[in-house]
Amino acid sequence: MKTKITELLGIEYPIIQGGMAWVADYHLAAAVSEAGGLGIIGAGGAPASFVREQIQKAKEMTDKPFGVNVMLMNPEADQIAQVIVEEGVKVVTTGAGNPGKYMAMWKEAGIKVIPVVASVGLAKMMERAGADAVIAEGTESGGHIGAATTMTLVPQVVDAVSIPVIAAGGIADGRGFAAAMMLGAEAVQMGTRFVVAKESIVHENYKKKVIAAKDIDSEVTGMTHGHPVRQIRNNMTREYLKLEKEGAPFEELEHLTLGALRKAVVEGDVVNGTLMAGQIAGLVKQEQTCAEMIQEIMEQAGKLLK
Ligand code: TUI
């Protein structure tokens, strides 16, 4: 399928993998790129040296284009931005902030820059700053989220900018893909479905929780501190939300979450770990290879769009 995004990025299918912290390592990124989508290494909160190693390993696994996501709250974001240039990465996505200060440097290096936005305002600002496309991410998504839904955000961003728009949040099958196209998107970004990919290094306990999750099994923590994070309900979210309701200071809550994502992804602690996942988890029913997922989605979407 040809769209402005497949043309821009030189990929076969307009499916981009979310740059999920801890989850989106080089195994997943290379598998998605090999399957014809755009794989992304999620830098998350990792140090720049780790991100460099991840990029080098991805290059050994695939000759196809892949990207790196810079989580802008990472204290080493400046160094990671530099590593991306030095390693010749083709595509950058950003999250959880405004990447304005890196734009000139990345554009000069010929990198395609695709910020994730959660509002029309930031989308317009990113277009003015030279972004090649934007990912409009709805509040259905897992992890750090904005307020607008995908259904409302995507068409409003499409109307507000001239660059291609990628839809994210609540998309996990061919129906979601086709719906996103109807809203004017040129591609989709998916996270939750790829969490349970066979090539994903996520602990089996975490994958089982995503597969077992139903439509209303996620909670949003951190709303009162301006860092809303969607994750699957467990002991951690109950504890967090109770403390938040009692007006606990940010430091105390931060202590609770510190390292909790790693605990869930690496150690499989599904009780006290952070199980970031989107509302579409209820639709994700089985572990498959990235190639199987992408083929299935494109086939289903193809029929619907005809
Ligand atoms: O970034 C994401 N999703 C994430 S990042 C992440 S790591 C993390 N872990 C614990 C706590 C916080 C983060 C997990 N999931 N998605 C992209 C995204 N960006 N969603 C919303 C935004 C966003 C929000 C506000 C982008 C910009 C913004 O404001 C920009 C500004 O400064 O004006």
Side-chain angles (χ1 to χ4, degrees), residues 19-22 43-45 69-74 94-99 115-119 121-122 125-126 135 137-138 141-147 189 221 226-231 240 250 257 261 274 276:
M20 302 164 282
W22 285 102
N69 175 271
V70 184
M71 204 281 283
L72 294 162
M73 294 190 301
N74 184 323
T94 62
N98 180 345
V116 175
V117 301
S119 67
L122 190 61
M125 203 188 293
M126 292 299 98
I135 300 168
E137 190 184 276
S141 307
H144 181 71
I145 49 172
Q189 178 186 270
T221 60
H227 288 116
V229 172
R230 184 179 301 285
Q231 48 188 303
Y240 194 110
F250 181 62
T257 48
L261 181 60
T274 298
M276 293 188 191

Side-chain angles (χ1 to χ4, degrees), residues 237-286:
T237 61
R238 284 191 198 95
E239 194 65 22
Y240 194 110
L241 291 170
K242 183 170 150 272
L243 286 169
E244 215 179 343
K245 212 170 165 187
E246 289 166 7
F250 181 62
E251 293 69 35
E252 191 181 337
L253 294 168
E254 200 179 36
H255 178 71
L256 198 69
T257 48
L258 222 59
L261 181 60
R262 192 199 67 84
K263 228 174 5 184
V265 174
V266 181
E267 293 168 22
D269 183 349
V270 295
V271 178
N272 293 309
T274 298
L275 299 168
M276 293 188 191
Q279 288 184 322
I280 204 67
L283 206 78
V284 175
K285 292 288 191 322
Q286 57 173 336

Side-chain angles (χ1 to χ4, degrees), residues 20 42-43 54 59 75 82 107 117 171 207-208 239 276 278 280 287 289 304:
M20 302 164 282
Q54 290 279 314
K59 281 185 206 161
Q82 188 61 43
K107 291 313 301 167
V117 301
I171 301 165
K207 290 187 182 178
K208 282 191 182 132
E239 194 65 22
M276 293 188 191
I280 204 67
E287 258 186 79
T289 64
L304 290 170

